[in-house]
Amino acid sequence: MELSKDTLDKLKHLNDDQLRAAIGDIADALGASPSQKRLMQNHTNRIRNKLFGASEAELTRYLSRLSPEKQQELLQKLKS
């Protein structure tokens, strides 16, 4: 799965509440437990810093570890 520049830009420029909601959607798509989801949502600053510091290639490499079905589900969540 490749993330478009537009999708990455959209993620990078979400406010804290929007990013927290997006993280929740992503956690759901990845099959995270409720406690894992809360933990991720409580670290929005860390995730925002990772997004700004990561290259498109790095993010694509991380996402390539997911099954094709999870990749597609995640991409749909990010586009909405």
Side-chain angles (χ1 to χ4, degrees):
M1 171 176 82
E2 275 201 41
L3 290 173
S4 70
K5 183 172 176 3
D6 291 338
T7 302
L8 289 173
D9 287 343
K10 178 182 171 185
L11 275 175
K12 289 178 179 181
H13 294 95
L14 296 175
N15 67 38
D16 286 346
D17 290 334
Q18 292 168 325
L19 182 59
R20 193 170 290 109
I23 291 168
D25 289 342
I26 292 167
D28 289 339
L30 296 175
S33 70
S35 62
Q36 290 170 318
K37 180 178 173 178
R38 278 191 305 277
L39 182 65
M40 287 185 268
Q41 288 177 312
N42 288 335
H43 291 93
T44 54
N45 286 334
R46 180 181 293 170
I47 292 171
R48 186 181 306 280
N49 289 338
K50 293 249 185 219
L51 280 172
F52 275 100
S55 68
E56 288 182 51
E58 287 174 306
L59 293 173
T60 299
R61 188 177 68 241
Y62 294 139
L63 295 173
S64 70
R65 298 176 188 164
L66 301 174
S67 70
E69 295 81 20
K70 290 291 183 186
Q71 289 180 19
Q72 188 60 34
E73 185 178 346
L74 180 55
L75 187 58
Q76 291 301 322
K77 292 278 187 182
L78 293 175
K79 285 185 176 182
S80 60

